Amino acid sequence: MYKILLLSIFSLSLMCLNAIQAQQDIDKEIQQAVDKAKQLKERLKNDPIKINGAISSELIYNYINGVPARRDPFSYRLSASLNIDILGVKVPLAANIANGRTIYNVNLPAYKIPSYALIGLSPSNKWGTLHLGNRSMTFSSYTLSGHSFYGIGAEVKPGNFYAAAMYGRLQRAIAADLNTLNNLEPAYNRFGWGTKLGYDNGKDNIYAILFKGWDQRFSIPTPPDSISSVRPMDNVVISVMGKKHLTDRLYVSTEYAYSALTTNSHADEIVSNVGLLKRMGGLFTPRTSTDYHSAIKSNIGILTSSGNVQVNHEWVGPGYRTLGALFFNNDFENWTVSTMGSFLEKKITLTANFGIQRNNLSGESYNISKRFIGMLNAAVIVNEQLNLNASYSNFQSTNKIRTSAVPFLQVDSLILSQVNQNASFSANYVQGEEKNKIWTLMLSYQKANSIQNEEVQDNQNMANYMGHLSYNYVFPETKLSLASSFLANYNNIPQAKVLSVSPSISASCPFFEEKLKATSSIAYVLLSTNEQLNSNILTIRGNLQYQFLEKHQLGMNVALINRSSKQLGIESFTEFTGLINYNFRF
């Protein structure tokens, strides 16, 4: 009887404590609701809607003499970015509008690119975000990886749960066009949708991802093989990923992805011996051009007092690809160790990642390699005057590289490339009691292969060497700034070996209490191709920026370029570009 009484008293006590805790939680939620109501009432009275942002416009004039026109005489661009806050709901808005422009062909009619308007907004509050228009989202590196789209998307985070979804156009159709200077590749209308669901408590998380991308088969006429091998594609990717802290300092994470990819949607459909997995749950139609591939990456890390150490493993099967990424390297396996730490009162910061990489995972490739891979970055604060930074990496990455203005190459064009090696060094030295004398040295080396038709061209090797030295002096009283620099750039590309050296001087000075700022520069470039001096280029630039009424700015830029050449096949020309811009910030 005595034991029953004690048990009853103990049970009653627990019930009372739970009731008290529940009442406290309810009181806390009520108080939070009351506080939010007061804040909302205050916002309604004083400032229910807050708006800030910027609007800018540009009018551009171009004239060239001596060579055919490379751009339209007149063009314009409009852009706006707005941040709207409506009672705590934030609505960022971005818009970019431009007129159409003409691509001038060689011995062919000009090709007109239509005007464009890129507009997007992402209203958000404490737990959710809505994406509308031209936006980008990232689910993971193997699924949807920062690809821009025109459509709709959403992210919600109620408590520890997470859900995201998107639908839109990933790529606009471009019909095949011969011999344009911009070398436009044909492309199909590409659409995609995806979803990501998961749980994240701040330390541990788990997610499931589904992404589907497809080309509209008849959005453009099928280009002949002589022009392009581009064909409509279809893709479905499923992925699971997660992270778990085993202790306060020890954690593991992993992601596994499985991709079904059809490289030609015109190919015949496979109807026999195809299960639910091959059809990706009914979301995919297997065809004779379909392949299935997987990818996985895992790591285990330890947090230390000065940084962290992490062991990484990544395996990407041959042919693995997702239409949710611009380009994807595949057929490789990496085992690496990465670390980051600060030493000597944070005067030295080291970041390193090194290991081994191999390809030919299926054993069917003739191109077999096994190599050491690594990345090292060191930042050193020698003293208050001198800062040093050095880095090296031979990890493969995908970048867009702007080509140099070589006479017989495309002008102002972008080449998609796979960078294999990258090394750089920079030093910054400040002199003077007022720190008004600055020396800057930059050296870099980059080796890459170009990417064409979504394939790495092993025979299209490119190497770039760059050195730049500059000196800047600021007169403290007038704030007049004088600068001089010397730039040397050497490009070793399949078409040629191009060396350019360029000394330059510039000056800038504010006037009228810094409301007016004037800048001018002169640069002279000596350009040689295959060890023969073929041209020199003189560039004169001027810029005026006038600030008025606090938030308004009116500017003018002019540039005069004169190329002189005596070599047969390289024409001399003079080009003038003028730009008037207006900016309003509020």
Side-chain angles (χ1 to χ4, degrees):
M1 183 67 180
Y2 177 72
K3 292 182 180 180
I4 295 176
L5 180 60
L6 287 177
L7 182 60
S8 300
I9 293 174
F10 180 72
S11 301
L12 183 60
S13 300
L14 286 179
M15 293 174 62
C16 292
L17 289 174
N18 289 334
I20 293 172
Q21 183 63 44
Q23 184 62 43
Q24 289 177 348
D25 293 340
I26 293 173
D27 292 342
K28 185 178 179 180
E29 292 179 1
I30 292 175
Q31 185 60 44
Q32 289 177 349
V34 171
D35 292 341
K36 289 182 179 179
K38 289 181 179 179
Q39 294 175 1
L40 181 60
K41 185 177 180 180
E42 191 69 23
R43 284 289 302 270
L44 284 171
K45 285 183 179 180
N46 300 324
D47 203 0
I49 300 177
K50 296 180 180 180
I51 300 177
N52 62 71
I55 298 174
S56 65
S57 61
E58 292 182 351
L59 178 63
I60 305 168
Y61 170 73
N62 180 263
Y63 170 79
I64 191 166
N65 180 41
V67 295
R70 301 187 295 191
R71 59 192 301 178
D72 289 334
F74 292 95
S75 59
Y76 69 84
R77 287 193 292 263
L78 303 173
S79 62
S81 60
L82 301 178
N83 297 302
I84 306 172
D85 188 331
I86 305 174
L87 298 175
V89 178
K90 298 179 181 180
V91 186
L93 169 67
N96 292 278
I97 302 172
N99 66 321
R101 62 188 180 93
T102 304
I103 297 176
Y104 292 91
N105 302 319
V106 179
N107 301 322
L108 287 172
Y111 178 81
K112 186 73 175 180
I113 290 182
S115 59
Y116 67 85
L118 304 177
I119 302 175
L121 68 157
S122 297
S124 65
N125 61 10
K126 186 177 180 180
W127 55 269
T129 302
L130 180 65
H131 302 286
L132 300 171
N134 292 98
R135 303 280 85 183
S136 65
M137 297 176 65
T138 295
F139 290 170
S140 76
S141 58
Y142 295 148
T143 54
L144 179 64
S145 181
H147 201 303
S148 60
F149 63 91
Y150 178 73
I152 184 173
E155 298 175 81
V156 293
K157 302 175 183 178
N160 293 333
F161 294 94
Y162 176 88
M166 59 75 62
Y167 171 83
R169 185 183 66 200
L170 301 171
Q171 176 179 276
R172 188 166 62 172
I174 301 175
D177 182 60
L178 289 169
N179 299 326
T180 62
L181 288 177
N182 281 41
N183 200 19
L184 294 174
E185 279 290 328
Y188 290 84
N189 258 338
R190 178 170 295 169
F191 286 82
W193 63 263
T195 182
K196 180 178 181 179
L197 303 174
Y199 177 87
D200 187 344
N201 62 10
K203 294 181 62 177
D204 305 328
N205 59 62
I206 184 169
Y207 296 98
I209 302 170
L210 174 63
F211 173 78
K212 178 175 175 62
W214 72 96
D215 293 336
Q216 290 184 328
R217 292 193 292 172
F218 303 105
S219 53
I220 63 171
T222 302
D225 293 336
S226 59
I227 296 180
S228 175
S229 60
V230 173
R231 294 294 180 266
M233 293 190 285
D234 188 18
N235 177 227
V236 173
V237 185
I238 55 175
S239 174
V240 291
M241 58 187 298
K243 182 177 182 180
K244 174 66 178 177
H245 276 79
L246 304 177
T247 67
D248 290 340
R249 292 183 175 272
L250 181 65
Y251 62 89
V252 294
S253 64
T254 187
E255 178 183 2
Y256 173 80
Y258 184 73
S259 175
L261 177 68
T262 293
T263 55
N264 186 359
S265 297
H266 292 308
D268 295 335
E269 181 180 349
I270 300 176
V271 295
S272 61
N273 299 323
V274 179
L276 190 63
L277 179 61
K278 295 295 184 181
R279 293 187 176 275
M280 305 298 279
L283 299 174
F284 185 76
T285 301
R287 299 182 182 275
T288 54
S289 62
T290 297
D291 281 314
Y292 301 88
H293 302 283
S294 59
I296 184 171
K297 62 179 176 181
S298 303
N299 55 63
I300 179 169
I302 301 175
L303 300 176
T304 66
S305 57
S306 60
N308 64 71
V309 178
Q310 187 169 282
V311 179
N312 314 287
H313 174 250
E314 184 173 17
W315 189 97
V316 180
Y320 183 91
R321 186 177 172 194
T322 171
L323 297 186
L326 178 66
F327 180 79
F328 204 92
N329 290 316
N330 54 43
D331 190 17
F332 69 87
E333 182 181 26
N334 293 342
W335 284 96
T336 61
V337 176
S338 59
T339 181
M340 187 277 290
S342 298
F343 311 95
L344 300 178
E345 298 180 348
K346 298 185 178 180
K347 289 185 177 182
I348 299 178
T349 301
L350 296 177
T351 303
N353 192 351
F354 55 90
I356 57 173
Q357 180 185 80
R358 70 180 183 97
N359 71 343
N360 192 27
L361 303 183
S362 63
E364 300 175 355
S365 175
Y366 293 103
N367 183 15
I368 303 173
S369 69
K370 186 175 183 180
R371 65 186 187 122
F372 174 82
I373 55 175
M375 182 278 293
L376 177 64
N377 180 274
V380 182
I381 303 175
V382 180
N383 50 45
E384 293 183 356
Q385 295 176 302
L386 180 61
N387 291 337
L388 303 175
N389 188 283
S391 66
Y392 172 81
S393 172
N394 68 344
F395 280 90
Q396 292 179 339
S397 62
T398 303
N399 289 326
K400 287 184 176 180
I401 296 179
R402 185 174 296 278
T403 60
S404 302
V406 183
F408 50 85
L409 295 180
Q410 302 173 21
V411 177
D412 294 334
S413 61
L414 291 174
I415 294 178
L416 191 64
S417 66
Q418 182 186 76
V419 178
N420 299 318
Q421 291 190 64
N422 197 341
S424 65
F425 172 82
S426 65
N428 192 67
Y429 183 64
V430 181
Q431 292 178 294
E433 294 181 359
E434 300 188 28
K435 299 181 179 181
N436 59 329
K437 306 173 187 178
I438 303 174
W439 290 89
T440 302
L441 173 66
M442 291 187 294
L443 304 171
S444 71
Y445 163 76
Q446 190 176 83
K447 183 179 179 181
N449 297 94
S450 65
I451 297 174
Q452 298 177 9
N453 296 331
E454 299 177 348
E455 292 184 0
V456 177
Q457 307 297 309
D458 293 328
N459 61 341
Q460 298 287 311
N461 296 318
M462 298 181 291
N464 174 265
Y465 305 82
M466 188 275 291
H468 181 253
L469 176 65
S470 67
Y471 175 74
N472 185 64
Y473 182 87
V474 179
F475 293 88
E477 295 182 357
T478 62
K479 296 185 179 179
L480 169 66
S481 175
L482 299 178
S484 62
S485 69
F486 182 83
L487 172 67
N489 199 305
Y490 177 73
N491 284 286
N492 189 348
I493 55 181
Q495 295 94 331
K497 296 178 180 179
V498 182
L499 172 66
S500 65
V501 293
S502 174
S504 66
I505 57 174
S506 64
S508 65
C509 187
F511 301 93
F512 308 118
E513 298 179 350
E514 298 191 11
K515 290 184 178 180
L516 176 66
K517 294 183 179 180
T519 304
S520 62
S521 66
I522 300 176
Y524 188 74
V525 181
L526 292 172
L527 189 66
S528 64
T529 304
N530 295 328
E531 300 181 356
Q532 292 185 353
L533 181 65
N534 53 41
S535 62
N536 54 73
I537 303 171
L538 176 66
T539 303
I540 302 175
R541 299 182 185 274
N543 174 267
L544 289 175
Q545 295 292 332
Y546 179 64
Q547 189 89 21
F548 63 99
L549 299 178
E550 294 185 1
K551 299 180 179 180
H552 300 261
Q553 187 180 69
L554 185 64
M556 180 178 68
N557 292 272
V558 294
L560 179 65
I561 302 175
N562 178 265
R563 183 174 74 186
S564 176
S565 174
K566 296 181 180 180
Q567 184 172 331
L568 184 65
I570 301 179
E571 298 173 306
S572 300
F573 71 87
T574 301
E575 181 177 22
F576 173 81
T577 302
L579 182 149
I580 297 176
N581 63 71
Y582 167 75
N583 298 283
F584 172 52
R585 297 183 179 276
F586 53 91

